[in-house]
Amino acid sequence: MERYGLNEMKLIYENPLSCEADIADFVLEGRALISFPEGKLRLENAMAAENGQKANYVLWCPEEFPSDVCIEWDFQPIREPGLAMMFFAARGRNGEELFDEGLTKRTGEYVQYHHGDINAFHVSYFRRKEPDERAFHTCNLRKSYGFYLTSQGGDPIPDVADAHEMYRISVVKKDADVFFYINELEIFHFADDGVTYGPLLAGGKIGFRQLAPMIGEYANLRVWEI
């Protein structure tokens, strides 16, 4: 199969995200309302948005993935404002497995993920939280430990009123390069030198994050090893 210019890919994980059984082993950090209307995973904050970061959350896939991967999922925004994000290559800062008991407990507040015990990439898309984000739509890639904005591109997903279908979101991480696509349109490419923003990140876990009061739906999570 050739996709995104890659013809050496092996499907290693597939999850339709269509019912509670599909996410039985997923790990939720923070509080969220999880449902499956029309056979798609719906995420919504359980706490009022007025609680700020305490109202946000992360839903982690339990699988450990290799360093060179293509991650793909379908996404549709249902309610805005808010923000959707994907963490990937997430591990402890000393190489620990993400759920190692020696790491500080995480509860969904963002600072715990960019200035806590873990390293990760985090790509934010459908950013409709702050006034400037609603006026000029971008997708951002950050790298942690730290809060380094490493790459940015325009967001082609329309506002909720015009988003009548699911959009295919894709992350390709190969060697020192990270590519981000929406409906196979390249949004940005980041070439990591392994110095400016810290050492190269290897394998690890992936997780969905949302900012209240957004509601989003997800389906067809797939991961290929490159």
Side-chain angles (χ1 to χ4, degrees):
M1 182 188 79
E2 182 174 353
R3 185 175 296 193
Y4 311 115
L6 304 167
N7 50 26
E8 294 292 333
M9 294 170 58
K10 175 185 177 183
L11 184 65
I12 58 174
Y13 182 80
E14 187 170 18
N15 190 328
L17 303 177
S18 62
C19 63
E20 188 173 349
D22 289 340
I23 65 164
D25 295 331
F26 279 45
V27 177
L28 177 64
E29 295 174 348
R31 294 175 56 192
L33 301 176
I34 299 176
S35 59
F36 297 88
E38 300 183 2
K40 294 178 285 188
L41 168 64
R42 175 174 286 191
L43 297 179
E44 180 178 358
N45 50 294
M47 297 178 64
E50 288 72 23
N51 288 286
Q53 283 291 329
K54 294 183 183 299
N56 303 327
Y57 49 89
V58 181
L59 182 65
W60 292 103
C61 175
E63 302 294 322
E64 189 81 3
F65 293 110
S67 182
D68 293 348
V69 290
C70 173
I71 308 161
E72 190 173 273
W73 66 99
D74 295 336
F75 165 80
Q76 183 176 355
I78 304 299
R79 182 177 72 189
E80 55 184 88
L83 180 151
M85 181 182 296
M86 166 64 81
F87 286 105
F88 58 101
R91 304 194 72 179
R93 292 181 63 192
N94 295 312
E96 302 97 334
E97 195 268 345
L98 188 67
F99 305 130
D100 188 288
E101 292 183 357
L103 301 180
T104 303
K105 182 180 178 181
R106 300 176 298 270
T107 57
E109 297 175 57
Y110 196 27
V111 68
Q112 299 167 350
Y113 300 84
H114 61 73
H115 276 86
D117 287 348
I118 71 171
N119 289 328
F121 279 112
H122 24 130
V123 57
S124 56
Y125 57 97
F126 197 76
R127 301 170 62 247
R128 305 294 196 277
K129 184 68 172 172
E130 303 299 334
D132 60 329
E133 295 170 352
R134 299 196 297 273
F136 189 71
H137 302 166
T138 64
C139 302
N140 293 347
L141 178 69
R142 294 186 182 273
K143 183 179 177 182
S144 300
Y145 180 82
F147 192 58
Y148 301 113
L149 178 61
T150 63
S151 198
Q152 189 176 62
D155 178 5
I157 299 177
D159 292 342
V160 165
D162 296 313
H164 303 304
E165 60 187 8
M166 301 204 87
Y167 296 84
R168 179 178 297 154
I169 314 294
S170 309
V171 171
V172 173
K173 180 182 178 296
K174 186 177 188 300
D175 300 325
D177 295 295
V178 175
F179 298 85
F180 184 65
Y181 303 86
I182 298 179
N183 281 4
E184 300 189 17
L185 172 69
E186 183 177 318
I187 305 301
F188 58 69
H189 166 216
F190 169 55
D192 195 347
D193 63 14
V195 176
T196 306
Y197 305 114
L200 296 178
L201 301 186
K205 288 185 166 51
I206 63 176
F208 297 103
R209 175 177 172 82
Q210 279 187 189
L211 270 65
M214 181 177 170
I215 299 176
E217 290 188 346
Y218 303 80
N220 302 319
L221 174 62
R222 292 177 289 181
V223 181
W224 289 265
E225 183 175 10
I226 301 171

